[in-house]
Amino acid sequence: MELVDDGVLAAARKVIAVHINYPSRAAQRGRTPDQPSYFLKPSSSLSLSGAAVERPAGCELLGFEGEIALVIGRPARRVSLEQAWDHVAWVTASNDLGVYDLRYADKGSNLRSKGGDGFTPVGPGLIPAGDLDPAALRIRTWHNGELVQDDTTADLLFPFARLVADLSQLLTLETGDIILTGTPAGASVAQPGDTLEVEVSASGGTLSTGRLATRVEEGTTPLAGFGAGARADDVQREEAYGSRQAAGLPEPASVLSAGLRAKLGSVATATLSSQLRKRGLNNVSIDGLQSTRPDRRVVGLARTLRYVPNREDLFAAHGGGFNAQKRAIDSVNEGEILVMEARGETGTGTIGDILALRAQVRGAAAIITDGGVRDFSTVAGMDIPTYYANPHPAVLGRRHIPWDTDITIACGGTTVQPGDIIVADADGILVIPPALAEDLADDSLQQEREEAFIAEMVRQGHGVDGLYPMNTQWR
């Protein structure tokens, strides 16, 4: 194994980086691209293992991203997928460093935010590309000795050969050029004094680049006043750290507070339906579905998933890999309800045991689909309630393409938007606009108190005339 040295850095005429390529990162970002997209980093950003990198003076968000780097061995121009890997000579480790404080100034190009001197350390070792399977590599990153990224290339959105072939269609990849292939979940922010390490390994760990080490130092020279200055806000902090929690930011207040959830969970959907009708809302029920847990009442915020009718050419592009169905399941949060638009199509399944189990493990309150359910006996035995049209053994690809998430959908004859409040029990499923929920819950509680009084009066032998509904005297 050779080591990355100054000669390797000098040979790199360009450094090309991929935006998103790992399913774990796509789930974290909440978006999965259909095609790879790229940005350029200047070759002057390259550095060797053991070098220091400056966090520019006045900046707070120096992000790190452990990545696998491909080193081109011979020029590639308009190469096929089958030929592409032959143009890669070496694989090594890299750290795609960047300052989130400057993203606003050149978002998209990333030139200033990710192009600083030393912002692309690579090395220390080079693994011959011919000695490894590009789909069997492991990438790990340590932050001050703590393992924070650990993933493999087994299920990349865009395999390495595809990246090389894709780029070669419009530009010549020259000998020594470097391609950064994306980062998995776990990328975060480093502070001055921190040490970052990245390692790429293959073949059960027998081949390794060794650990690429980078020290973070505080810059002392302020950015000049005639250029874009550092600017950080909570949006950038959340992006840089990977989540609001990791960034130390409070979670935004939910429209479904614990108190409101308790109120809505204590009244029947029949009561809520009558109160919705009084407000002119008659088309807010998801109709025609059964429940695996009719004994349960569930309340939660809607997350949505849309299926479109299967078309074979489109399924090839949208149905495989970390598709919209898997993204929806893998991003549903505790207490949320995943609602699926299946167009009332009952001739295939829309969810099965593994994905239903994943939703349950993530804490979802329920699953609702106006289509079929596979592996029905297993799904019906789970704790999570599933509302469905019918059991069916076929996979969703028979009739559906998983298309998009967290958009306005139609399910069971009504419109559902992300963030709508869903209340379901043995009587049915209601969709409640969040702006009405608090008053609706209070009026429903009052209605049920009145109805409990009416029931007691009837039990005591009183007639219903004037009592149900109550006239002024009874009230």
Side-chain angles (χ1 to χ4, degrees):
M1 181 182 70
E2 296 185 26
L3 295 178
V4 177
D5 57 19
D6 290 333
V8 174
L9 302 192
R13 299 183 63 177
K14 51 186 173 288
V15 180
I16 303 169
V18 178
H19 281 108
I20 294 179
N21 199 13
Y22 286 80
S24 61
R25 181 70 162 177
Q28 187 180 47
R29 287 295 199 221
R31 60 183 185 274
T32 299
D34 294 329
Q35 302 292 337
S37 62
Y38 313 93
F39 59 95
L40 284 168
K41 300 188 76 170
S43 58
S44 55
S45 71
L46 292 166
S47 65
L48 297 171
S49 182
V53 64
E54 278 193 3
R55 185 182 73 176
C59 295
E60 85 175 71
L61 302 174
L62 178 66
F64 64 84
E65 300 176 2
E67 305 208 10
I68 297 171
L70 312 181
V71 183
I72 298 299
R74 59 190 179 91
R77 179 72 167 112
R78 295 197 179 101
V79 300
S80 67
L81 289 171
E82 294 74 23
Q83 299 169 327
W85 190 247
D86 295 336
H87 291 261
V88 179
W90 309 96
V91 167
T92 191
S94 183
N95 198 334
D96 182 16
L97 296 160
V99 219
Y100 280 74
D101 312 60
L102 297 174
R103 289 175 86 202
Y104 77 94
D106 59 359
K107 192 171 177 63
S109 78
N110 291 331
L111 179 60
R112 297 177 77 239
S113 60
K114 289 207 167 196
D117 289 353
F119 278 22
T120 317
V122 292
L126 294 162
I127 304 175
D131 293 349
L132 53 81
D133 176 359
L137 299 178
R138 184 183 186 187
I139 173 79
R140 288 181 291 176
T141 304
W142 292 264
H143 183 195
N144 293 330
E146 178 185 356
L147 183 65
V148 292
Q149 291 185 288
D150 189 354
D151 212 330
T152 73
T153 57
D155 60 350
L156 292 176
L157 301 175
F158 313 112
F160 293 161
R162 179 173 172 181
L163 300 178
V164 174
D166 182 40
L167 287 165
S168 77
Q169 300 309 300
L170 290 173
L171 56 94
T172 299
L173 295 173
E174 300 163 300
T175 301
D177 284 353
I178 293 174
I179 302 173
L180 307 185
T181 57
T183 194
S188 189
V189 172
Q191 306 295 334
D194 290 353
T195 297
L196 302 167
E197 298 171 289
V198 184
E199 181 182 13
V200 176
S201 58
S203 303
T206 57
L207 295 174
S208 170
T209 62
R211 291 197 187 185
L212 166 69
T214 306
R215 303 185 317 276
V216 180
E217 297 180 350
E218 180 69 274
T220 57
T221 304
L223 296 172
F226 47 77
R231 182 189 300 171
D233 56 25
D234 285 352
V235 173
Q236 293 304 321
R237 293 183 182 98
E238 181 179 355
E239 287 265 307
Y241 281 92
S243 69
R244 293 186 66 84
Q245 182 179 16
L249 300 171
E251 292 297 326
S254 172
V255 296
L256 186 57
S257 64
L260 178 57
R261 185 187 293 271
K263 289 179 185 179
L264 292 172
S266 68
V267 293
T269 55
T271 307
L272 292 168
S273 180
S274 66
Q275 288 295 329
L276 286 164
R277 182 176 176 81
K278 288 180 180 179
R279 291 162 169 80
L281 294 171
N282 295 305
N283 298 299
V284 286
S285 61
I286 298 177
D287 297 335
L289 306 185
Q290 308 171 68
S291 174
T292 60
R293 297 296 306 271
D295 57 314
R296 296 275 291 278
R297 179 177 296 165
V298 296
V299 181
L301 293 178
R303 297 288 298 277
T304 60
L305 167 63
R306 181 187 177 207
Y307 296 113
V308 298
N310 186 29
R311 206 178 85 186
E312 288 76 5
D313 61 320
L314 294 176
F315 191 90
H318 295 269
F322 198 57
N323 60 32
Q325 180 197 42
K326 293 177 181 176
R327 297 199 304 272
I329 292 291
D330 228 33
S331 64
V332 66
N333 296 313
E334 184 173 358
E336 294 178 337
I337 296 175
L338 180 59
V339 186
M340 304 180 186
E341 175 186 337
R343 310 177 311 285
E345 171 58 67
T346 59
T348 192
T350 56
I351 194 165
D353 56 351
I354 298 298
L355 293 185
L357 178 61
R358 177 60 175 159
Q360 177 174 287
V361 168
R362 288 191 59 84
I367 299 167
I368 299 173
T369 174
D370 60 356
V373 171
R374 297 181 68 228
D375 311 307
F376 180 74
S377 60
T378 303
V379 174
M382 293 181 182
D383 187 56
I384 184 173
T386 297
Y387 297 82
Y388 63 98
N390 62 289
H392 201 284
V395 296
L396 66 87
R398 181 170 186 247
R399 299 283 173 84
H400 300 300
I401 306 171
W403 197 256
D404 207 351
T405 62
D406 290 323
I407 59 170
T408 300
I409 64 168
C411 181
T414 195
T415 299
V416 182
Q417 294 191 300
D420 280 343
I421 296 174
I422 306 293
V423 180
D425 61 15
D427 278 348
I429 310 166
L430 292 176
V431 181
I432 299 174
L436 301 179
E438 196 72 52
D439 287 344
L440 187 79
D442 290 340
D443 289 350
S444 295
L445 287 168
Q446 177 63 23
Q447 179 180 327
E448 290 203 344
R449 284 195 291 270
E450 292 179 0
E451 289 178 353
F453 170 77
I454 292 168
E456 179 58 29
M457 294 301 98
V458 171
R459 189 176 294 109
Q460 293 180 18
H462 294 281
V464 295
D465 185 28
L467 175 63
Y468 183 59
M470 286 194 292
N471 58 22
T472 303
Q473 180 181 356
W474 274 112
R475 190 174 296 281

